[in-house]
Amino acid sequence: MKTEMEKTPLIANLVSVQTTTRCTLRCKKCSCSFPLFNPPVDSDVRLIKRSIGRLFNVFSYIHEIRIAGAEAFLYPHVIEVIEETAKHRKKFGYINIVTNATYVPKSEILQSMANLNCPVLVRIDNYGELSGKLTELRAVLGEHKIDYEVRNNCEHNYFCGGWIDFGTEYEDKHYSASELKKLFFNCRNRTECKTVWDGVLYACGFIAAGHKLLKCPVAARDCVDLLNTDNEAAIQKVKDFDKYPLLGCAYCNGFDPVNSPRIPAAEQM
Ligand code: SF4
Ligand code: SF4
């Protein structure tokens, strides 16, 4: 029988499932510092599949479930991850995959996405000259009748007004308690950046990457070990994620949609 906590539905706008840190670009200000993973790391596909099952036990509904990289299309088992996610189609709105248009997915990946019985959206970040496969990518997605949208990150037409520098050097900023609260409660990622990585659901992808790089501490209350926590405890922890600043926020510049300074997108190392 479900407990009172489990009966209250837990709904998320967006949850990312991390697959690989491989990428074709090396952006200086990559929000998850993926270029610093050297060599790149592929997560264990069995762990990812078990995590997806647990995720849909804990959440009653997720509007957007993102199969995330760096470049998720480079993950060798991306088809398995997509198809595993699709099995839970009544519990999410759509599957999203983000790509930088430097790469055209293999035909078997496109075919797999085309055959899904659930909505899937490829979000293409257009970085101008860097995104050399944009035209080809649009063409093959069109041929396979796979929905896509293009976000312009080019000069004069920045999506979201430009990139944010989250602070990828992960230095402790020594904020006062009130500064930290302000940073956190004004941060767009407070509710929009939950990330599952190697079986652990992190409240924010920035701290997940920092934790993996051993550059940023993560408090026990800021993450949930999905495979070793019962539903009631997991639901309670996730409900508390957005109530207090995360320990790792001290290492971050935050993402205030209005006031955070914007920087040029995708400057390469
Ligand atoms: S394209 Fe740039 S920002 Fe995107 S994952 Fe790769 S390195 Fe990071
Ligand atoms: S301020 Fe905190 S919640 Fe916002 S991006 Fe940084 S670490 Fe994540």
Side-chain angles (χ1 to χ4, degrees):
M1 196 193 305
K2 286 191 171 183
T3 63
E4 281 310 306
M5 178 58 66
E6 288 174 297
K7 280 184 204 159
T8 319
L10 182 61
I11 296 173
N13 199 31
L14 167 65
V15 177
S16 295
V17 177
Q18 173 63 22
T19 58
T20 182
T21 66
R22 297 181 200 222
C23 192
T24 45
L25 297 180
R26 288 174 56 76
C27 303
K28 282 184 202 165
K29 295 294 180 184
C30 174
S31 63
C32 285
S33 298
F34 287 126
L36 301 187
F37 287 82
N38 191 14
V41 184
D42 291 328
S43 292
D44 181 332
V45 68
R46 290 163 301 181
L47 196 49
I48 294 178
K49 286 162 82 172
R50 286 175 64 204
S51 307
I52 290 169
R54 283 292 295 128
L55 202 56
F56 288 111
N57 284 149
V58 171
F59 287 90
S60 300
Y61 194 78
I62 298 172
H63 288 286
E64 175 183 333
I65 178 102
R66 181 172 296 170
I67 313 298
E71 266 295 307
F73 285 133
L74 298 178
Y75 180 57
H77 308 285
V78 69
I79 295 176
E80 281 181 68
V81 177
I82 294 169
E83 293 179 353
E84 183 69 24
T85 305
K87 288 180 188 168
H88 302 270
R89 66 187 183 281
K90 290 191 177 147
K91 299 196 85 177
F92 64 83
Y94 65 102
I95 295 175
N96 171 235
I97 303 183
V98 181
T99 181
N100 59 21
T102 60
Y103 176 82
V104 176
K106 292 180 187 158
S107 62
E108 52 265 39
I109 299 176
L110 295 164
Q111 203 52 57
S112 161
M113 287 195 293
N115 291 341
L116 291 178
N117 54 1
C118 64
V120 60
L121 175 72
V122 177
R123 197 164 280 141
I124 305 173
D125 275 323
N126 177 15
Y127 296 123
E129 286 180 2
L130 294 171
S131 299
K133 299 285 186 187
L134 179 60
T135 307
E136 199 182 332
L137 180 60
R138 293 176 77 145
V140 294
L141 292 172
E143 278 164 26
H144 286 81
K145 299 190 172 25
I146 298 168
D147 283 343
Y148 66 88
E149 66 178 23
V150 179
R151 290 195 297 205
N152 272 313
N153 292 280
C154 307
E155 217 175 337
H156 309 308
N157 192 12
Y158 279 119
F159 163 73
C160 204
W163 270 19
I164 307 287
D165 175 4
F166 285 90
T168 46
E169 66 287 355
Y170 288 100
E171 278 169 5
D172 189 344
K173 309 284 192 291
H174 299 288
Y175 296 120
S176 67
S178 63
E179 287 170 333
L180 203 56
K181 254 177 131 173
K182 190 173 166 202
L183 182 91
F184 179 67
F185 285 104
N186 285 338
C187 183
R188 180 182 177 276
N189 284 4
R190 184 171 66 93
T191 54
E192 298 294 314
C193 201
K194 294 179 184 67
T195 299
V196 184
W197 199 330
D198 292 340
V200 177
L201 175 66
Y202 293 86
C204 173
F206 175 83
I207 63 164
H211 184 54
K212 291 287 181 186
L213 287 164
L214 306 179
K215 286 174 174 282
C216 172
V218 175
R221 70 160 194 242
D222 300 340
C223 62
V224 179
D225 179 351
L226 286 175
L227 305 182
N228 295 295
T229 309
D230 66 42
N231 257 15
E232 183 173 2
I235 291 169
Q236 180 62 65
K237 281 187 91 173
V238 176
K239 284 184 175 171
D240 288 344
F241 273 174
D242 64 356
K243 291 192 178 146
Y244 319 94
L246 315 173
L247 189 62
C249 293
Y251 296 73
C252 181
N253 295 326
F255 181 0
D256 179 332
V258 178
N259 297 312
S260 287
R262 297 317 200 253
I263 58 170
E267 280 192 349
Q268 297 299 287
M269 289 180 161

